[in-house]
Amino acid sequence: MLQDDKGRSVSYLRLSVTDRCNLRCLYCDGSISPRLLHGDVLRYEELLDLMGLSATLGIGKVRLTGGEPFARRGFMEFMEAARQRFPAMDLRLTSNATLITPFAQRLAAAGVARINISLDTLDAPTFHRVTGQDMYHAVRSGIDACLEAGIRVKINAVAMRGVNDGELAGFLDLARQNPIDVRFIEFMPMGGASWAPEQVWSAEDILREAHTLADLTPLARDAADSGPAQMFSIGGGKGRFGLITPLSNHFCGSCNRLRITSGGTLRTCLFSDRVYRLRAALRHPKLGLPAVERILRAALRTKPLGYELLAARRSGKVCATGMAAIGG
Ligand code: SAM
């Protein structure tokens, strides 16, 4: 099992397959960050090799993300190839679900048991305003298709004052009526299009209001299979409600993750701009995976505590790069 210099076990990889996205969310950087050149994007074979290395190092859980994974051609076939090569791996996916409907059954057949779907609003015009695209109904179909395929769905909504702070009741109803976990995530000051302190709708405020709208009971973290989210059952509901609090209540002490971008850079902390370039080593005929492993182990000797970086930041942003390029 991999361990970092602070004794944290690392067992979870977030692997981005593309920095491209078909949405232009106002808080993300899908439209503004420089895109990778085709040749700089890791080929699917290379991504599989990185997953294989991760597996040998004890990483049993890999989340494929982006950009939007389904915006990359051949993504479904890649998932199927990943399942064939790593039958025991816990394969997960994060998607905006706009393009997922035709693939839901194949995802289920490939053993993708859980999908995180990003959806910040239940109002079609607001969706258009947030994402730049008129695709709210495509997302809702995608969610339905995943549920029909038997995939567990978690919806992640970025909590934003002035955008979705009037929608708590609607989201609670969605979780009450469907076997869906709805999680609000605090709006993080990442590189990207826009962030201002007054746009942050804090977890504390969300929870106070949620308690007035629903009968919420906190769940133990382990029992909830929730990662860093604090989850609540909803009285009489099929789904659950949760909060992810990177700003107000960090979870750095138990952070077990690494991120590798579609361009092959390793990031050990979301709030750090420090990157470790794996691509050149991976592609070098005399270096390859053993060299990648050395870089990875060296990087773990300085895996930061993100909350320290958050506290020490001088500008508004904690990290110059936005989530589309890093892989959320
Ligand atoms: N396209 C996929 C999707 O929409 O889920 C995967 C990539 S997206 C960058 C991953 C997640 O990052 C989304 O849930 C998005 O809402 C979240 N995200 C992006 N920028 C964020 C920010 N500044 N604060 C909080 N969450 C953010």
Side-chain angles (χ1 to χ4, degrees):
M1 178 69 85
L2 285 173
Q3 274 214 335
D4 73 2
D5 58 324
K6 295 160 191 78
R8 294 174 291 185
S9 298
V10 172
S11 55
Y12 179 16
L13 172 66
R14 291 190 167 209
L15 186 58
S16 175
V17 302
T18 178
D19 63 341
R20 287 164 197 257
C21 190
N22 59 335
L23 300 184
R24 298 283 173 265
C25 298
L26 49 88
Y27 52 80
C28 200
D29 62 343
S31 55
I32 58 169
S33 63
R35 303 267 171 73
L36 290 169
L37 298 173
H38 181 70
D40 291 341
V41 177
L42 295 184
R43 295 185 290 275
Y44 281 134
E45 237 350 278
E46 293 171 325
L47 293 169
L48 289 171
D49 286 346
L50 289 176
M51 289 169 78
L53 173 66
S54 306
T56 62
L57 297 176
I59 292 180
K61 176 169 155 186
V62 177
R63 177 176 298 285
L64 286 312
T65 180
E68 170 50 35
F70 282 98
R72 179 165 178 182
R73 197 178 318 145
F75 177 69
M76 187 62 239
E77 289 73 17
F78 163 72
M79 287 298 278
E80 288 166 340
R83 171 53 71 221
Q84 261 203 330
R85 195 150 144 193
F86 311 110
M89 191 170 268
D90 183 353
L91 277 181
R92 302 194 180 193
L93 176 62
T94 297
S95 169
N96 61 35
T98 53
L99 307 170
I100 217 167
T101 300
F103 301 110
Q105 296 290 344
R106 279 172 75 183
L107 285 171
V112 178
R114 299 175 175 82
I115 294 186
N116 286 4
I117 292 177
S118 306
L119 179 63
D120 305 317
T121 174
L122 301 175
D123 175 62
T126 307
F127 184 92
H128 197 166
R129 180 160 69 88
V130 171
T131 66
Q133 300 292 326
D134 187 13
M135 298 187 89
Y136 173 72
H137 297 289
V139 177
R140 293 304 301 260
S141 307
I143 291 171
D144 291 345
C146 290
L147 291 174
E148 274 161 33
I151 298 171
R152 264 189 64 190
V153 171
K154 293 181 186 174
I155 289 182
N156 288 335
V158 179
M160 291 171 285
R161 287 261 179 231
V163 176
N164 55 7
D165 53 348
E167 296 201 44
L168 197 48
F171 274 109
L172 283 163
D173 274 347
L174 184 72
R176 202 179 272 119
Q177 289 159 17
N178 301 276
I180 293 177
D181 284 357
V182 170
R183 294 134 27 119
F184 275 89
I185 176 163
E186 284 176 329
F187 187 7
M188 295 182 285
M190 309 287 296
S194 102
W195 183 89
E198 57 274 15
Q199 289 175 291
V200 173
W201 179 21
S202 74
E204 193 185 347
D205 289 353
I206 297 171
L207 191 54
R208 190 178 311 116
E209 187 182 337
H211 273 302
T212 69
L213 296 167
D215 175 17
L216 301 180
T217 307
L219 296 167
R221 278 182 195 271
D222 290 350
D225 178 33
S226 58
Q230 170 66 64
M231 296 303 299
F232 299 83
S233 65
I234 304 175
K238 296 182 183 166
R240 307 179 299 182
F241 177 73
L243 294 162
I244 305 177
T245 55
L247 301 186
S248 65
N249 189 6
H250 67 82
F251 28 84
C252 304
S254 58
C255 179
N256 62 350
R257 17 182 110 167
L258 292 177
R259 289 180 164 80
I260 299 179
T261 70
S262 53
T265 56
L266 170 71
R267 286 176 176 262
T268 58
C269 174
L270 194 54
F271 286 171
S272 170
D273 278 317
R274 184 148 185 202
V275 297
Y276 303 83
R277 298 182 200 288
L278 307 179
R279 189 180 66 230
L282 184 65
R283 289 184 175 174
H284 193 287
K286 294 201 175 131
L287 296 174
L289 287 172
V292 171
E293 179 178 341
R294 281 194 294 277
I295 300 171
L296 210 143
R297 288 188 184 277
L300 283 182
R301 282 184 222 124
T302 54
K303 181 170 156 62
L305 290 163
Y307 70 90
E308 291 180 352
L309 304 174
L310 189 65
R313 83 196 143 128
R314 286 193 199 89
S315 70
K317 301 279 172 67
V318 73
C319 163
T321 312
M323 294 288 268
I326 296 175

